[in-house]
Amino acid sequence: MIKDDNLLHDIHQLNLAYLLLVQRLASEPGDVSQLSNGLSNDMIEKVAGLTLPQLVSLAETNQIIVKPSFQCSPSENSGAYELLKSNHRFI
């Protein structure tokens, strides 16, 4: 059985990784909202302006803040696809 402490730690790590990804994508040219699971541009700008301690504080909740979306992949004509293609870790 998974201990609650381990699960909570994993949730914190997932949240922080997601927030750091959103922050990194916000600094890249192109349409970030397509890669950020529907976050509004306003929310992306707010996350981009947070300091690391603020991100850690936000990540340390008992809920997963990222909502995975597997409905569709970015089309090859979108800026999101080009951003993914330029970063070889994703493609």
Side-chain angles (χ1 to χ4, degrees), residues 2-76:
I2 298 175
K3 292 184 179 180
D4 289 339
D5 289 342
N6 289 340
L7 183 58
L8 191 56
H9 176 74
D10 291 344
I11 290 171
H12 295 170
Q13 293 299 310
L14 176 65
N15 288 342
L16 183 58
Y18 174 69
L19 291 169
L20 289 169
L21 176 63
V22 169
Q23 220 177 34
R24 193 182 114 229
L25 291 175
S27 68
E28 299 283 334
D31 187 10
V32 178
S33 61
Q34 292 182 20
L35 298 175
S36 299
N37 292 322
L39 286 181
S40 68
N41 286 332
D42 184 48
M43 185 60 70
I44 292 168
E45 288 176 15
K46 288 178 181 176
V47 170
L50 295 176
T51 65
L52 184 57
Q54 289 172 321
L55 287 175
V56 169
S57 178
L58 184 58
E60 290 180 341
T61 180
N62 63 351
Q63 298 178 12
I64 297 173
I65 59 174
V66 60
K67 180 179 118 181
S69 174
F70 303 105
Q71 295 175 2
C72 64
S73 61
S75 71
E76 290 191 20

Side-chain angles (χ1 to χ4, degrees), residues 34 73-83:
Q34 292 182 20
S73 61
S75 71
E76 290 191 20
N77 295 327
S78 73
Y81 178 79
E82 292 302 318
L83 178 60

